[in-house]
Amino acid sequence: MKIKSMAIAMLLTISSGIANAQTAEIPNVLKIRNARSNGTIKKQNEIAGYYTFYFKEKADKKNSAYEVRISDNELNTINTFELVRPKATILMETVYNGEALMFFFYDQKTGYEFVTYSLDGKKLGSSLVTKDAISMFDLQATIASSSSEGDNTTMYPVEGEGFVRQRFTKNKKMAFEIARFDNKAKEVWTYSSAKESKLVEYIDVNEVTDKYVTATVYRKKSLMTNKANLAFLILDVNTGKLIAELPMGNEDEGKKSVVKSFVDNQMNKIVLIGEYYDAGDDIYKDKSQGLYVQDVSFDGKILGETEYSWKTDIAKFMKETMDEEDKKDKRPYNFFWHDVIRGANGHLYLIGEQYKKQISAAGVGLGVLASATGGDSNVAAIEVLIANMVVVELGAKNELTKIDIVPKRKTRVQLEQGAGMVSIVKLGLILKAQGDFDYSFTSREKDADKFTVIYTDGNRKEEKGSTKSDVMLGVIHVENGAVKNDRIGVNFDSWYWWIRQAKPGFILLGEYARKEKVIKLRLEQVAY
């Protein structure tokens, strides 16, 4: 089934004079460091407001004064409060759990500091991790993320009751820990790799709820080898106790990746989504055979599994929605799953994006040039091609019902040296952390059983005429199972801008006017 354009075109006019626009300005902002300086405040997965963290003034020779502005979901200011930090401080993450706002700071001299505040500006607590107590692997990851415009994602909220953080540590080799903090930034429990392990182990937290932490563990014999085994973990979020560890296949039967997990309270189970491989295949370099969906009970028992082959099952559905250009492209894509939503009808909707590794002409050229001039290039000969958005619909029993492909302009992400050796699954996680995918967010109106996916499209040209917008937003709207899509042009006055999730039916557009030292925010309606 082809995706139909909306019968009533979406209306989104970007103008300060529009009647339904809600705006706000924050003056005297000397600097915004990166995209992590602003974000959403959620309560029970609903947008309750926004925070903005910005440099206000120099407090003295060694310290800087920052201001935190808290607004509601209408952009009305609720509160502002000041934080004085060493001038070398970098804000790595800000997370809100409904009761406390956690700031994760990094200072190259002192290390990490975790500080919590209430929305009225009251400091709740803090904890300091000195630089010599931080694992080399964790510090390297933090430094790399500090120079990136993407979101640093190591911290996850526990609704009303604290936070969970994933981190690298060191046993005999590289290892991992998951730590739980309370609302005063104090550690409550930690779960770690086995101390006697001789393997390289690292972890990706999939989801944190009020009862569970789900995560994927990768285990290798050394940093240099490509072969890895995966396991899926379920932890008790309140105690840190391991509830279950599920090996994701083996050499003899074939392995599975975990791209997304979904704690499905509506169906009383955990849904795992990933790709499966043939026996003996290497998930770091071999092409997977297809997509699988596995149902797991909350105590770790496998309830059922369904596999869908790329060549037969999925290809059949995708041909129905492919345009002529994509039908000619024989090179297979991988899927990165951004979100999973259970509809009122019991159907499961997977929101994904196509991507794949390929040879980079630019990377090869720079390598040749560097070699010819006796230099060195840190650019890999491999790049990632990011393609269309995908909506997969599964029935109540996980049967493949429909695949909708939403075309958008393909974009390329140049990799650094060595990144081409990373598995396609892990590479997808890296791309997400760096903000390289076009997907922005999903906004859901649960009571109305409808949701909207917002993404950016590299094709900035309007459908009618030759006009180009600064940014073209793609919108996928799913209501009662019907999938529709449209594109919306957005223009900004400043070079530094961002897009955030807002209350249902709206998006938040923000920009920083450097000359005027002003942050401009506006809510714009997405009408169907």
Side-chain angles (χ1 to χ4, degrees), residues 105-230:
F105 294 108
Y106 165 63
D107 187 293
Q108 62 180 350
K109 294 182 179 180
T110 58
Y112 296 162
E113 187 171 6
F114 302 92
V115 188
T116 53
Y117 285 83
S118 61
L119 293 187
D120 61 6
K122 178 183 177 182
K123 184 177 179 179
L124 302 177
S126 66
S127 61
L128 179 68
V129 183
T130 59
K131 191 173 181 179
D132 57 2
I134 302 171
S135 160
M136 173 187 69
F137 305 110
D138 202 71
L139 189 60
Q140 287 175 344
T142 299
I143 293 171
S145 180
S146 68
S147 61
S148 168
E149 281 297 310
D151 291 331
N152 185 61
T153 308
T154 66
M155 190 81 68
Y156 302 83
V158 181
E159 186 66 34
E161 297 183 353
F163 308 87
V164 166
R165 181 173 186 258
Q166 67 180 47
R167 62 196 181 201
F168 293 100
T169 185
K170 183 175 175 60
N171 292 337
K172 292 186 177 181
K173 297 183 179 179
M174 187 172 77
F176 70 84
E177 284 185 342
I178 298 178
R180 167 75 186 269
F181 295 81
D182 63 17
N183 281 354
K184 294 183 179 181
K186 302 302 181 185
E187 284 195 16
V188 178
W189 56 254
T190 59
Y191 177 83
S192 307
S193 305
K195 297 296 182 183
E196 66 276 8
S197 175
K198 297 180 180 180
L199 301 173
V200 170
E201 301 186 44
Y202 52 95
I203 197 165
D204 283 313
V205 169
N206 301 128
E207 190 173 9
V208 176
T209 71
D210 60 343
K211 294 181 179 179
Y212 306 105
V213 178
T214 64
T216 306
V217 175
Y218 300 79
R219 296 187 173 104
K220 306 195 300 179
K221 290 184 178 180
S222 72
L223 284 170
M224 301 306 294
T225 184
N226 284 334
K227 289 190 175 182
N229 291 318
L230 278 66

Side-chain angles (χ1 to χ4, degrees), residues 321-337:
T321 54
M322 279 183 178
D323 58 23
E324 292 304 316
E325 180 184 351
D326 287 326
K327 286 180 180 179
K328 295 176 183 178
D329 190 350
K330 302 300 182 182
R331 298 168 296 174
Y333 284 96
N334 292 84
F335 293 82
F336 188 88
W337 303 108

Side-chain angles (χ1 to χ4, degrees), residues 280-339:
D281 278 357
D282 184 348
I283 64 172
Y284 276 71
K285 63 180 182 180
D286 294 319
K287 174 65 180 175
S288 68
Q289 298 303 303
L291 175 72
Y292 79 87
V293 179
Q294 186 179 86
D295 292 334
V296 178
S297 66
F298 291 141
D299 60 359
K301 293 183 176 63
I302 297 176
L303 304 176
E305 181 179 314
T306 310
E307 294 182 346
Y308 305 103
S309 166
W310 297 127
K311 293 182 179 180
T312 56
D313 306 312
I314 294 176
K316 175 184 175 182
F317 279 89
M318 290 185 68
K319 285 180 180 178
E320 297 179 8
T321 54
M322 279 183 178
D323 58 23
E324 292 304 316
E325 180 184 351
D326 287 326
K327 286 180 180 179
K328 295 176 183 178
D329 190 350
K330 302 300 182 182
R331 298 168 296 174
Y333 284 96
N334 292 84
F335 293 82
F336 188 88
W337 303 108
H338 295 288
D339 205 355

Side-chain angles (χ1 to χ4, degrees), residues 373-391:
T373 57
D376 192 17
S377 171
N378 67 342
V379 178
I382 300 294
E383 67 182 9
V384 175
L385 185 66
I386 297 175
N388 301 322
M389 299 297 298
V390 180
V391 180

